[in-house]
PDB file of all heavy atoms in Angstrom:
ATOM      1  N   GLU A 408      72.855 -72.535 -61.055  1.00 50.00           N
ATOM      2  CA  GLU A 408      73.788 -71.427 -61.264  1.00 50.00           C
ATOM      3  C   GLU A 408      73.274 -70.467 -62.337  1.00 50.00           C
ATOM      4  O   GLU A 408      73.394 -69.251 -62.215  1.00 50.00           O
ATOM      5  CB  GLU A 408      75.170 -71.959 -61.679  1.00 50.00           C
ATOM      6  CG  GLU A 408      75.880 -72.739 -60.592  1.00 50.00           C
ATOM      7  CD  GLU A 408      75.364 -74.159 -60.489  1.00 50.00           C
ATOM      8  OE1 GLU A 408      74.550 -74.564 -61.338  1.00 50.00           O
ATOM      9  OE2 GLU A 408      75.752 -74.868 -59.550  1.00 50.00           O
ATOM     10  N   GLU A 414      68.818 -64.168 -62.244  1.00 55.00           N
ATOM     11  CA  GLU A 414      68.083 -63.381 -61.253  1.00 55.00           C
ATOM     12  C   GLU A 414      68.934 -62.243 -60.700  1.00 55.00           C
ATOM     13  O   GLU A 414      68.440 -61.145 -60.447  1.00 55.00           O
ATOM     14  CB  GLU A 414      67.604 -64.286 -60.116  1.00 55.00           C
ATOM     15  CG  GLU A 414      66.612 -65.347 -60.539  1.00 55.00           C
ATOM     16  CD  GLU A 414      65.343 -64.786 -61.157  1.00 55.00           C
ATOM     17  OE1 GLU A 414      65.112 -63.574 -61.055  1.00 55.00           O
ATOM     18  OE2 GLU A 414      64.598 -65.556 -61.778  1.00 55.00           O
ATOM     19  N   ALA A 421      68.787 -52.338 -61.615  1.00 40.00           N
ATOM     20  CA  ALA A 421      68.196 -51.110 -61.085  1.00 40.00           C
ATOM     21  C   ALA A 421      68.729 -50.747 -59.708  1.00 40.00           C
ATOM     22  O   ALA A 421      68.758 -49.581 -59.346  1.00 40.00           O
ATOM     23  CB  ALA A 421      66.685 -51.267 -61.021  1.00 40.00           C
ATOM     24  N   ILE A 423      71.684 -50.980 -58.505  1.00 35.00           N
ATOM     25  CA  ILE A 423      73.054 -50.505 -58.499  1.00 35.00           C
ATOM     26  C   ILE A 423      73.165 -49.394 -59.541  1.00 35.00           C
ATOM     27  O   ILE A 423      72.394 -49.352 -60.483  1.00 35.00           O
ATOM     28  CB  ILE A 423      73.999 -51.689 -58.830  1.00 35.00           C
ATOM     29  CG1 ILE A 423      73.800 -52.800 -57.801  1.00 35.00           C
ATOM     30  CG2 ILE A 423      75.442 -51.280 -58.846  1.00 35.00           C
ATOM     31  CD1 ILE A 423      74.190 -52.432 -56.393  1.00 35.00           C
ATOM     32  N   GLU A 450      56.008 -39.470 -38.548  1.00 96.00           N
ATOM     33  CA  GLU A 450      54.588 -39.506 -38.927  1.00 96.00           C
ATOM     34  C   GLU A 450      53.758 -40.224 -37.877  1.00 96.00           C
ATOM     35  O   GLU A 450      52.675 -39.772 -37.498  1.00 96.00           O
ATOM     36  CB  GLU A 450      54.423 -40.216 -40.272  1.00 96.00           C
ATOM     37  CG  GLU A 450      54.839 -39.386 -41.471  1.00 96.00           C
ATOM     38  CD  GLU A 450      54.642 -40.147 -42.779  1.00 96.00           C
ATOM     39  OE1 GLU A 450      54.764 -41.386 -42.789  1.00 96.00           O
ATOM     40  OE2 GLU A 450      54.378 -39.494 -43.786  1.00 96.00           O
ATOM     41  N   THR A 467      60.033 -32.283 -57.150  1.00 91.00           N
ATOM     42  CA  THR A 467      59.356 -33.497 -57.625  1.00 91.00           C
ATOM     43  C   THR A 467      60.380 -34.626 -57.743  1.00 91.00           C
ATOM     44  O   THR A 467      60.046 -35.788 -57.603  1.00 91.00           O
ATOM     45  CB  THR A 467      58.666 -33.274 -58.986  1.00 91.00           C
ATOM     46  OG1 THR A 467      59.615 -32.747 -59.905  1.00 91.00           O
ATOM     47  CG2 THR A 467      57.499 -32.316 -58.860  1.00 91.00           C
ATOM     48  N   LEU A 469      63.664 -35.779 -55.768  1.00 91.00           N
ATOM     49  CA  LEU A 469      64.438 -35.528 -54.553  1.00 91.00           C
ATOM     50  C   LEU A 469      65.920 -35.679 -54.878  1.00 91.00           C
ATOM     51  O   LEU A 469      66.340 -36.712 -55.391  1.00 91.00           O
ATOM     52  CB  LEU A 469      64.041 -36.500 -53.450  1.00 91.00           C
ATOM     53  CG  LEU A 469      62.576 -36.447 -52.996  1.00 91.00           C
ATOM     54  CD1 LEU A 469      62.289 -37.543 -51.972  1.00 91.00           C
ATOM     55  CD2 LEU A 469      62.245 -35.081 -52.398  1.00 91.00           C
ATOM     56  N   THR A 473      75.906 -37.294 -52.419  1.00 84.00           N
ATOM     57  CA  THR A 473      76.589 -38.589 -52.400  1.00 84.00           C
ATOM     58  C   THR A 473      77.577 -38.682 -51.239  1.00 84.00           C
ATOM     59  O   THR A 473      78.091 -39.750 -50.949  1.00 84.00           O
ATOM     60  CB  THR A 473      77.343 -38.826 -53.714  1.00 84.00           C
ATOM     61  OG1 THR A 473      78.145 -37.680 -53.979  1.00 84.00           O
ATOM     62  CG2 THR A 473      76.373 -39.038 -54.864  1.00 84.00           C
ATOM     63  N   LYS A 555      83.705 -54.190 -38.313  1.00 84.00           N
ATOM     64  CA  LYS A 555      84.902 -54.226 -37.471  1.00 84.00           C
ATOM     65  C   LYS A 555      84.681 -53.361 -36.236  1.00 84.00           C
ATOM     66  O   LYS A 555      83.953 -52.366 -36.277  1.00 84.00           O
ATOM     67  CB  LYS A 555      86.099 -53.719 -38.270  1.00 84.00           C
ATOM     68  CG  LYS A 555      86.465 -54.656 -39.401  1.00 84.00           C
ATOM     69  CD  LYS A 555      87.552 -54.091 -40.271  1.00 84.00           C
ATOM     70  CE  LYS A 555      87.876 -55.076 -41.375  1.00 84.00           C
ATOM     71  NZ  LYS A 555      86.695 -55.353 -42.223  1.00 84.00           N
TER      72      LYS A 555
ATOM     73  N   PRO B1429      79.329 -53.304 -61.159  1.00 54.00           N
ATOM     74  CA  PRO B1429      79.731 -53.203 -59.746  1.00 54.00           C
ATOM     75  C   PRO B1429      80.436 -54.460 -59.267  1.00 54.00           C
ATOM     76  O   PRO B1429      81.337 -54.395 -58.447  1.00 54.00           O
ATOM     77  CB  PRO B1429      78.403 -53.015 -59.011  1.00 54.00           C
ATOM     78  CG  PRO B1429      77.456 -52.548 -60.048  1.00 54.00           C
ATOM     79  CD  PRO B1429      77.892 -53.182 -61.315  1.00 54.00           C
ATOM     80  N   ASP B1443      87.964 -56.329 -46.396  1.00 69.00           N
ATOM     81  CA  ASP B1443      87.000 -57.432 -46.327  1.00 69.00           C
ATOM     82  C   ASP B1443      87.398 -58.545 -47.288  1.00 69.00           C
ATOM     83  O   ASP B1443      87.241 -59.721 -46.993  1.00 69.00           O
ATOM     84  CB  ASP B1443      85.593 -56.949 -46.705  1.00 69.00           C
ATOM     85  CG  ASP B1443      85.024 -56.018 -45.659  1.00 69.00           C
ATOM     86  OD1 ASP B1443      85.606 -55.943 -44.564  1.00 69.00           O
ATOM     87  OD2 ASP B1443      84.003 -55.377 -45.939  1.00 69.00           O
ATOM     88  N   GLU B1474      65.490 -50.255 -52.387  1.00 83.00           N
ATOM     89  CA  GLU B1474      65.111 -49.350 -53.475  1.00 83.00           C
ATOM     90  C   GLU B1474      63.590 -49.326 -53.645  1.00 83.00           C
ATOM     91  O   GLU B1474      62.988 -48.272 -53.813  1.00 83.00           O
ATOM     92  CB  GLU B1474      65.794 -49.777 -54.762  1.00 83.00           C
ATOM     93  CG  GLU B1474      65.597 -48.779 -55.892  1.00 83.00           C
ATOM     94  CD  GLU B1474      66.206 -49.278 -57.178  1.00 83.00           C
ATOM     95  OE1 GLU B1474      66.176 -50.491 -57.423  1.00 83.00           O
ATOM     96  OE2 GLU B1474      66.681 -48.434 -57.956  1.00 83.00           O
ATOM     97  N   ARG B1484      54.387 -39.649 -50.881  1.00 93.00           N
ATOM     98  CA  ARG B1484      54.420 -38.411 -50.092  1.00 93.00           C
ATOM     99  C   ARG B1484      54.837 -37.168 -50.870  1.00 93.00           C
ATOM    100  O   ARG B1484      54.667 -36.055 -50.394  1.00 93.00           O
ATOM    101  CB  ARG B1484      55.380 -38.605 -48.908  1.00 93.00           C
ATOM    102  CG  ARG B1484      54.811 -39.550 -47.855  1.00 93.00           C
ATOM    103  CD  ARG B1484      55.882 -40.064 -46.920  1.00 93.00           C
ATOM    104  NE  ARG B1484      55.301 -40.909 -45.878  1.00 93.00           N
ATOM    105  CZ  ARG B1484      54.935 -42.174 -46.064  1.00 93.00           C
ATOM    106  NH1 ARG B1484      55.088 -42.734 -47.244  1.00 93.00           N
ATOM    107  NH2 ARG B1484      54.412 -42.875 -45.076  1.00 93.00           N
ATOM    108  N   GLN B1489      59.061 -37.806 -59.154  1.00 86.00           N
ATOM    109  CA  GLN B1489      59.734 -38.289 -60.369  1.00 86.00           C
ATOM    110  C   GLN B1489      60.977 -39.108 -60.060  1.00 86.00           C
ATOM    111  O   GLN B1489      61.726 -39.449 -60.970  1.00 86.00           O
ATOM    112  CB  GLN B1489      60.093 -37.097 -61.258  1.00 86.00           C
ATOM    113  CG  GLN B1489      58.874 -36.379 -61.798  1.00 86.00           C
ATOM    114  CD  GLN B1489      59.238 -35.217 -62.695  1.00 86.00           C
ATOM    115  OE1 GLN B1489      60.398 -34.873 -62.842  1.00 86.00           O
ATOM    116  NE2 GLN B1489      58.233 -34.607 -63.294  1.00 86.00           N
ATOM    117  N   ALA B1492      67.464 -38.502 -57.025  1.00 86.00           N
ATOM    118  CA  ALA B1492      68.763 -38.381 -57.690  1.00 86.00           C
ATOM    119  C   ALA B1492      69.830 -38.102 -56.647  1.00 86.00           C
ATOM    120  O   ALA B1492      69.575 -37.386 -55.672  1.00 86.00           O
ATOM    121  CB  ALA B1492      68.715 -37.255 -58.714  1.00 86.00           C
ATOM    122  N   GLU B1494      73.460 -36.444 -56.243  1.00 84.00           N
ATOM    123  CA  GLU B1494      74.386 -35.577 -56.963  1.00 84.00           C
ATOM    124  C   GLU B1494      75.588 -35.274 -56.080  1.00 84.00           C
ATOM    125  O   GLU B1494      75.454 -34.956 -54.907  1.00 84.00           O
ATOM    126  CB  GLU B1494      73.699 -34.249 -57.347  1.00 84.00           C
ATOM    127  CG  GLU B1494      72.528 -34.419 -58.309  1.00 84.00           C
ATOM    128  CD  GLU B1494      72.967 -34.818 -59.713  1.00 84.00           C
ATOM    129  OE1 GLU B1494      74.175 -34.745 -60.008  1.00 84.00           O
ATOM    130  OE2 GLU B1494      72.102 -35.218 -60.513  1.00 84.00           O
ATOM    131  N   ASP B1499      83.501 -33.850 -54.513  1.00 51.00           N
ATOM    132  CA  ASP B1499      83.181 -35.245 -54.221  1.00 51.00           C
ATOM    133  C   ASP B1499      83.381 -36.074 -55.483  1.00 51.00           C
ATOM    134  O   ASP B1499      82.809 -35.778 -56.528  1.00 51.00           O
ATOM    135  CB  ASP B1499      81.725 -35.306 -53.740  1.00 51.00           C
ATOM    136  CG  ASP B1499      81.276 -36.720 -53.438  1.00 51.00           C
ATOM    137  OD1 ASP B1499      82.126 -37.630 -53.493  1.00 51.00           O
ATOM    138  OD2 ASP B1499      80.091 -36.903 -53.151  1.00 51.00           O
ATOM    139  N   HIS B1516      61.766 -61.691 -58.765  1.00 64.00           N
ATOM    140  CA  HIS B1516      63.182 -61.975 -58.970  1.00 64.00           C
ATOM    141  C   HIS B1516      63.902 -62.058 -57.636  1.00 64.00           C
ATOM    142  O   HIS B1516      64.759 -62.924 -57.426  1.00 64.00           O
ATOM    143  CB  HIS B1516      63.832 -60.873 -59.817  1.00 64.00           C
ATOM    144  CG  HIS B1516      63.367 -60.868 -61.238  1.00 64.00           C
ATOM    145  ND1 HIS B1516      63.314 -62.003 -61.993  1.00 64.00           N
ATOM    146  CD2 HIS B1516      62.935 -59.857 -62.030  1.00 64.00           C
ATOM    147  CE1 HIS B1516      62.880 -61.699 -63.211  1.00 64.00           C
ATOM    148  NE2 HIS B1516      62.630 -60.403 -63.252  1.00 64.00           N
ATOM    149  N   THR B1534      78.696 -75.883 -57.175  1.00 40.00           N
ATOM    150  CA  THR B1534      79.390 -76.524 -58.280  1.00 40.00           C
ATOM    151  C   THR B1534      80.885 -76.431 -58.039  1.00 40.00           C
ATOM    152  O   THR B1534      81.335 -75.725 -57.157  1.00 40.00           O
ATOM    153  CB  THR B1534      79.077 -75.846 -59.614  1.00 40.00           C
ATOM    154  OG1 THR B1534      79.661 -74.540 -59.582  1.00 40.00           O
ATOM    155  CG2 THR B1534      77.596 -75.761 -59.840  1.00 40.00           C
TER     156      THR B1534
END
Side-chain angles (χ1 to χ4, degrees):
Chain A
E408 293 80 7
E414 296 301 348
I423 302 295
E450 285 180 329
T467 53
L469 299 175
T473 51
K555 293 174 180 60
Chain B
D1443 291 348
E1474 188 184 35
R1484 289 163 177 78
Q1489 294 181 354
E1494 297 289 348
D1499 179 6
H1516 291 312
T1534 68

